[in-house]
Amino acid sequence: PQDDEAKLKIKPLLIYGVTGSGKSELYIRAIRETLKQNRAAICLVPEIALTEQLRRFFAGHFGENLEILHSKMTDGERFLTWKRIEMGTCNVVLGPRSAVFAPVPNLGLIIMDEEHEGSYKQETTPRYHAREVAAWRANQEGALFLMGTATPSLESMALAERGVIARVDLTERIDQKAMPKVEVIDLKRYEGDKRPSLLFSPPLMREIETNLKNREGTMLLLNRRGFSTSIRCPQCGEIEKCKLCQVSLTFHQEKNLLLCHYCNYQKKVPNVCGECKAPMLRFMGFGTEKVESEIARFFPSARIARMDADTTQKKDSHEKILEKFREQKIDILIGTQMIAKGFDFPHVTLVGVVLADVGLRLPDFRSSERTFQLLTQFAGRAGRGTQPGRVIIQTWMPEHPSIRFAKEHDFLAFYAHEKRCREEFHYPPYRSLVNIIIRSHDEKKAYLFAREIRDVLRGERGTGNEIKPGNGERETGSKTFSVSRSPFPEIEIIGPAPLPFYKLRGHFRWHVMLKLPTLSTPGVDRGPHPVWTGDVSVTSRIYSILMGLRKPSGVAFQMDVDPLNIL
Ligand SMILES: [Zn+2]
Ligand SMILES: [Zn+2]
């Protein structure tokens, strides 16, 4: 993709289609066309749980032609499958991100379902994003790269806006089915005595009861990964954010401080809310297990199942739970984001989000986007059969854009809002992030090496300013430095700051964050090839500079381009 001389053969195509708009049918048609030309197709899916559903659907159309790759295969199974693919005996390959490397001869099409999903990025060595690999490979082999989703990533939307990739919108559900009606419940209205259950508002309780009576399926979502150590205002629902980085500040109990995990900004915990002066509350976390026990308490005759990382350890446990739910042997399915994605259960008419704010408290610039995606995907599970669907979202922040636009099923409005924030605060897609993580058993060594990395990249090595970690001093922007001495004047360098998981397996962890220009940065020339992240030649230069540093003993570092999580 670095070769600007070479012309791009076929532009990648992004299909933005609302949930239930028939993207799978469109994939089938695209594959049929490919097979007619005697060429082969690869279809990538984000998760193993979804492979099974798409396999059934594809098997009906392609039968013997279909080959499945998945991560739970033994080496022997994988070898035989790859051999069959290589010999061209099957010409439709379905699998997770690694299937992008499947050795199909005469490739004509790569499909990436749920393009926005983080699981397409491999987070261990060798780190790669299947989207970049697919675009590159499709171009090499003259194939079409087709991405589909109801909630495109901002990165792909921005590339489409710049004309680097093409975009098609499907804004209606098939068969004129209505989008489910979404009701947002403001939990502030039910504080204290007004709520018999701590977790469920009266409207959600009533709807669950109605569904049990009518023998219709209910799904309840609580994405519990979040920090119980955050702070919100009980009056206006506000969460404190860093003024520079726009990410939520995290509460540190032992120091009684709020801290920005991007730039290390710290402040005392305020006694009252900055917006409305109400006394601040600490948020106490709860998870899906609590939801399950509360449901059992209020609806003792309901048949309940829970699907999360704890209940799906064993092989096939996913499939068993889903099968029972499909056969309506379960009335209420409770789960994390695992149950939100892609499933097609026609008997589900009610989906409830127990607390939509969980993800918004994460100290991550993508928290709004992820929350919008999750709510939209989950709302799309309701009303896929003959009965219309209802969606109930409980929240402390009904005015938050992620919740407001999810209620209206309005991705394009959410995109228009979110892209302005990203541009203003220099986040993807307008910059590419590189996260350099430094860890050591020795707290001070980790911090000092992190600072050295920052200084070297800024071209101000050896200034000798001693700043000890954690003394509350603001670092970013507090020092003046000469831009001209920096080897990378076009790159912003932020930190070092402690990572949210500061102590992990006995290591102290600091990070330095870099912001590089991308194809979507205003003023940057766009080449013919789609690249979602920054310039690879620049990141390689940074990497060799880091490798050339004299690393103290007991200190390790890693460099992550386009990190999906900064935790
Ligand atoms: Zn900050
Ligand atoms: Zn307030």
Side-chain angles (χ1 to χ4, degrees), residues 40-42 85-86 90-93 101-108 137 141:
I42 297 175
I85 293 171
E86 211 173 2
C90 48
N91 40 26
V92 182
V93 176
F101 300 109
V104 291
N106 208 5
L107 181 69
R137 186 172 175 192
E141 307 190 26

Side-chain angles (χ1 to χ4, degrees), residues 261-264 438 446-452 454-455 458 475-476 494-498 510-513:
H261 283 292
Y262 281 13
C263 73
N264 207 21
I438 300 96
Y447 169 73
L448 288 176
F449 191 59
R451 217 187 56 186
E452 186 182 343
R454 178 202 61 193
D455 290 346
R458 277 186 180 168
E475 296 228 328
T476 306
I494 296 155
W510 289 79
H511 71 142
V512 174
M513 219 162 63

Side-chain angles (χ1 to χ4, degrees), residues 241-247 249 259-265 427 474 476 494:
K241 284 188 168 176
C242 174
K243 296 275 183 289
L244 273 185
C245 310
Q246 279 296 298
V247 295
L249 296 174
L259 188 145
C260 172
H261 283 292
Y262 281 13
C263 73
N264 207 21
Y265 167 71
Y427 285 119
R474 174 127 209 178
T476 306
I494 296 155

Side-chain angles (χ1 to χ4, degrees), residues 156-455:
S156 294
M157 285 296 284
L159 283 184
E161 248 173 49
R162 294 217 77 188
V164 179
I165 65 176
R167 188 184 114 199
V168 167
D169 296 356
L170 306 173
T171 53
E172 304 276 326
R173 281 190 156 184
I174 47 172
D175 305 330
Q176 280 88 48
K177 260 178 215 149
M179 295 300 285
K181 190 177 165 299
V182 180
E183 188 182 350
V184 172
I185 305 284
D186 184 354
L187 288 174
K188 295 193 294 293
R189 282 181 51 201
Y190 301 100
E191 268 280 59
D193 302 345
K194 286 173 264 175
R195 204 154 33 126
S197 159
L198 191 66
L199 306 190
F200 309 114
S201 62
L204 181 54
M205 294 278 256
R206 275 199 301 275
E207 292 294 336
I208 294 173
E209 212 176 329
T210 306
N211 250 37
L212 284 171
K213 217 178 287 163
N214 297 344
R215 305 207 139 267
E216 290 172 3
T218 299
M219 293 170 98
L220 293 177
L221 173 87
L222 178 67
N223 210 18
R224 82 177 137 188
R225 200 177 82 177
F227 290 74
S228 58
T229 50
S230 70
I231 287 208
R232 71 168 168 77
C233 169
Q235 283 292 329
C236 67
E238 199 58 38
I239 297 170
E240 287 244 17
K241 284 188 168 176
C242 174
K243 296 275 183 289
L244 273 185
C245 310
Q246 279 296 298
V247 295
S248 312
L249 296 174
T250 303
F251 173 56
H252 284 249
Q253 195 148 30
E254 64 279 16
K255 293 179 188 161
N256 201 33
L257 281 174
L258 291 174
L259 188 145
C260 172
H261 283 292
Y262 281 13
C263 73
N264 207 21
Y265 167 71
Q266 306 179 357
K267 68 180 273 189
K268 282 231 164 61
V269 178
N271 292 323
V272 296
C273 170
E275 292 289 317
C276 74
K277 309 295 175 217
M280 291 298 268
L281 275 191
R282 272 158 216 183
F283 179 81
M284 304 309 283
F286 58 86
T288 41
E289 254 183 271
K290 179 77 179 159
V291 175
E292 188 183 21
S293 65
E294 282 276 285
I295 286 287
R297 188 160 72 89
F298 283 100
F299 306 103
S301 63
R303 297 166 300 171
I304 309 166
R306 175 163 62 92
M307 192 161 135
D308 56 28
D310 298 327
T311 63
T312 53
Q313 297 282 356
K314 286 198 210 100
K315 201 184 168 187
D316 300 334
S317 44
H318 275 115
E319 204 37 47
K320 276 182 192 138
I321 298 174
L322 294 172
E323 199 55 54
K324 280 175 86 177
F325 191 53
R326 196 174 283 129
E327 290 166 1
Q328 304 192 36
K329 289 175 181 160
I330 294 169
D331 302 309
I332 303 175
L333 180 62
I334 297 161
T336 55
Q337 98 290 354
M338 268 184 197
I339 66 168
K341 295 167 188 172
F343 296 117
D344 198 356
F345 299 116
H347 74 291
V348 172
T349 54
L350 172 65
V351 307
V353 181
V354 178
L355 186 61
D357 321 1
V358 175
L360 295 174
R361 284 196 304 272
L362 283 174
D364 190 317
F365 74 90
R366 280 199 181 92
S367 63
S368 292
E369 183 185 13
R370 293 233 172 92
T371 300
F372 177 84
Q373 288 167 348
L374 185 66
L375 295 178
T376 303
Q377 295 287 339
F378 191 52
R381 297 316 106 214
R384 298 176 77 90
T386 48
Q387 298 298 312
R390 292 111 68 213
V391 181
I392 292 192
I393 297 176
Q394 300 193 133
T395 176
W396 294 99
M397 298 187 282
E399 292 307 314
H400 193 284
S402 300
I403 291 164
R404 215 152 30 91
F405 294 126
K407 175 180 159 62
E408 304 300 330
H409 306 285
D410 198 344
F411 167 75
L412 293 175
F414 173 77
Y415 171 66
H417 173 272
E418 182 66 12
K419 74 175 200 179
R420 280 199 303 273
C421 307
R422 299 285 184 88
E423 194 165 359
E424 182 178 350
F425 292 99
H426 292 189
Y427 285 119
Y430 304 101
R431 295 293 186 285
S432 169
L433 298 188
V434 173
N435 198 31
I436 303 167
I437 298 172
I438 300 96
R439 63 182 159 86
S440 173
H441 290 293
D442 185 326
E443 187 169 14
K444 190 160 187 221
K445 271 189 185 172
Y447 169 73
L448 288 176
F449 191 59
R451 217 187 56 186
E452 186 182 343
I453 286 177
R454 178 202 61 193
D455 290 346

